Amino acid sequence: MFSKIKVTFVILFCALMAGCAGQIKPMSSDEVSNLSQKRAAVAYFYPDKKINYNELVYKVLWNEYRSNSVSFAGLWDIESELSERFQTRFRQMGINQAVLARDLLNDEQYANLQEDTYTHIRAVLKAIKDGENFPTLTLGASYQKALADQGVDRLVLLGQYPFNIEVFGLTDSEIMRSSADVWVIDTNDGSILFDGAAYINFGHEYEESPREIESNNLHAFKEGIRSAVDKEFAPERLPKQMGFSNPQ
Amino acid sequence: MDARAILLIGSLLLTACAPTIGNKQDVRTTSFFVGETTKQEVADVLGLPADISRSDALGLEYWAYRDKPELSGLIVPVPVGGTAVQTTSFSTGQDGSYEFKDAAAIYVFDQSNTLIDVRYPSN
């Protein structure tokens, strides 16, 4: 029964991912060439700062799903760390002049960019919950103009969806699944040149408790996220999705 | 298969499991030292809190813990005739997200990350 549920879950997950992947259109070779040569600002945001655990609990006559959400707000500056990590990886991928948006925008402009990204991610989650159409990303003009004025023609923006950990007690293992929206935006006119996704998934085996992943200042969790981001830059993944067929 | 093996398997099948994603220890029976225990020590003993909030004006940080994981769904076997059974899933509408009413304990830290107070809202 457990295996059936796990298989069903995996099939549903794959179907969902395939559905998302099917809608992603790579950038044209001209646009890839532009992105390789022009200055591009990178920013990563995660509004939740939470880890959501889900567990199937065997109760003999029935099974229960239990959920628990925990916060790491203020304990790990994930936005700064992953902005830098994505910037480095994007440079290696071929966006040769990728810089951090944080270094180019003043505090107010950066806070507005952050808030607009948070608002969009939350609106998407609400739309999923309510079964409505996904909203379109809406960004403010001030920080785009500020970037364009500094010769930064492209904004590579990442918005993270919640980190969900599925716990499989029978095997003392857990799987973290999440994704981040990845947009490439033309800062001169606000048009969205690319709308894709980075999948942040990893597995972890624990000894006694699935929450060991939080121990030592989130050591295993952070390492899992870092490793998952790096894996997403394998040639056949995000680079291919974006149209970088020959990543450098 | 001998009788002992059948008994062992039968016992395992009849043993319900408890959720393992809750706090590492019971917040109602875990003690800390006000004025000494640090945030990191609380996190190491209990795990991360359900919610973290701050008062910049007071210079305080509040860590709220729920009592146990929320029930978010059920899978129940339903007889459909003869010996056939099919499973049906129900959602409770809960997803583990935190609301203040869920708080079983709130730990208050000062700017030096030291525990200065513990509150139990439901008491």
Side-chain angles (χ1 to χ4, degrees):
Chain A
M1 186 172 183
F2 281 103
S3 60
K4 276 187 183 172
I5 291 164
K6 280 168 75 171
V7 168
T8 305
F9 182 83
V10 169
I11 290 170
L12 286 172
F13 179 75
C14 292
L16 179 67
M17 291 297 107
C20 295
Q23 297 169 3
I24 296 171
K25 188 179 170 193
M27 288 179 287
S28 66
S29 56
D30 285 348
E31 186 48 49
V32 168
S33 177
N34 276 338
L35 196 52
S36 300
Q37 293 162 18
K38 293 185 175 184
R39 290 185 82 198
V42 177
Y44 167 95
F45 297 111
Y46 179 34
D48 257 18
K49 316 285 192 309
K50 291 199 168 190
I51 305 169
N52 302 322
Y53 292 93
N54 297 294
E55 181 177 24
L56 182 67
V57 184
Y58 177 61
K59 289 290 182 184
V60 184
L61 295 179
W62 68 91
N63 290 324
E64 291 178 359
Y65 276 110
R66 292 274 172 177
S67 302
N68 195 19
S69 180
V70 300
S71 174
F72 60 83
L75 301 174
W76 180 27
D77 186 0
I78 186 172
E79 294 185 343
S80 293
E81 180 172 333
L82 291 197
S83 287
E84 288 178 23
R85 199 169 196 91
F86 274 105
Q87 180 223 2
T88 304
R89 297 291 169 225
F90 278 127
R91 271 181 176 248
Q92 291 167 346
M93 188 183 84
I95 305 178
N96 299 309
Q97 298 193 57
V99 292
L100 290 173
R102 168 77 275 186
D103 293 342
L104 300 171
L105 299 173
N106 64 33
D107 287 349
E108 186 185 353
Q109 290 163 342
Y110 195 72
N112 288 339
L113 171 61
Q114 181 187 50
E115 193 53 42
D116 286 348
T117 312
Y118 285 4
T119 299
H120 179 77
I121 294 294
R122 287 172 179 146
V124 170
L125 292 171
K126 185 177 183 303
I128 292 170
K129 193 173 181 182
D130 297 344
E132 296 170 352
N133 292 332
F134 287 4
T136 307
L137 176 68
T138 308
L139 295 179
S142 65
Y143 47 82
Q144 292 188 70
K145 183 174 184 307
L147 292 171
D149 288 347
Q150 295 176 72
V152 177
D153 293 307
R154 300 289 183 263
L155 170 63
V156 184
L157 180 63
L158 298 108
Q160 180 70 55
Y161 290 99
F163 290 130
N164 293 311
I165 292 184
E166 302 295 330
V167 175
F168 303 104
L170 288 176
T171 55
D172 290 347
S173 62
E174 54 196 325
I175 297 176
M176 209 295 295
R177 300 178 200 276
S178 186
S179 66
D181 274 340
V182 183
W183 299 278
V184 177
I185 296 140
D186 184 336
T187 57
N188 297 298
D189 61 10
S191 59
I192 296 175
L193 306 170
F194 174 76
D195 183 355
Y199 301 107
I200 314 289
N201 305 324
F202 66 89
H204 180 252
E205 291 185 2
Y206 56 86
E207 291 180 6
E208 292 180 4
S209 162
R211 295 192 58 184
E212 287 166 13
I213 200 167
E214 301 166 15
S215 299
N216 300 323
N217 194 20
L218 289 160
H219 177 76
F221 181 72
K222 289 177 181 176
E223 283 302 307
I225 299 283
R226 290 167 186 148
S227 170
V229 168
D230 292 349
K231 284 178 184 169
E232 196 56 18
F233 282 86
E236 75 279 9
R237 302 182 75 164
L238 191 56
K240 182 179 178 185
Q241 200 189 114
M242 295 179 77
F244 283 77
S245 54
N246 296 305
Q248 294 160 20
Chain B
M1 193 180 289
D2 68 23
R4 279 180 299 180
I6 293 171
L7 195 61
L8 178 64
I9 293 169
S11 304
L12 288 174
L13 288 173
L14 290 174
T15 306
C17 297
T20 60
I21 58 174
N23 302 322
K24 291 180 183 173
Q25 291 191 29
D26 187 342
V27 292
R28 294 174 195 281
T29 57
T30 303
S31 299
F32 295 107
F33 295 101
V34 169
E36 292 182 23
T37 304
T38 65
K39 263 197 284 195
Q40 191 58 53
E41 287 167 338
V42 172
D44 288 343
V45 172
L46 297 177
L48 292 174
D51 187 67
I52 297 174
S53 57
R54 290 178 189 82
S55 165
D56 291 334
L58 298 174
L60 300 176
E61 187 166 300
Y62 305 87
W63 283 22
Y65 284 83
R66 68 168 77 247
D67 198 16
K68 57 186 178 185
E70 276 187 322
L71 178 67
S72 52
L74 285 171
I75 301 175
V76 183
V78 180
V80 289
T83 57
V85 172
Q86 75 178 36
T87 56
T88 304
S89 301
F90 301 96
S91 169
T92 63
Q94 303 298 319
D95 60 4
S97 55
Y98 170 82
E99 293 175 38
F100 182 74
K101 65 178 176 55
D102 300 327
I106 297 175
Y107 297 84
V108 186
F109 299 94
D110 64 13
Q111 285 175 318
S112 67
N113 295 329
T114 304
L115 181 67
I116 60 164
D117 194 11
V118 183
R119 299 169 194 170
Y120 299 95
S122 55
N123 289 348

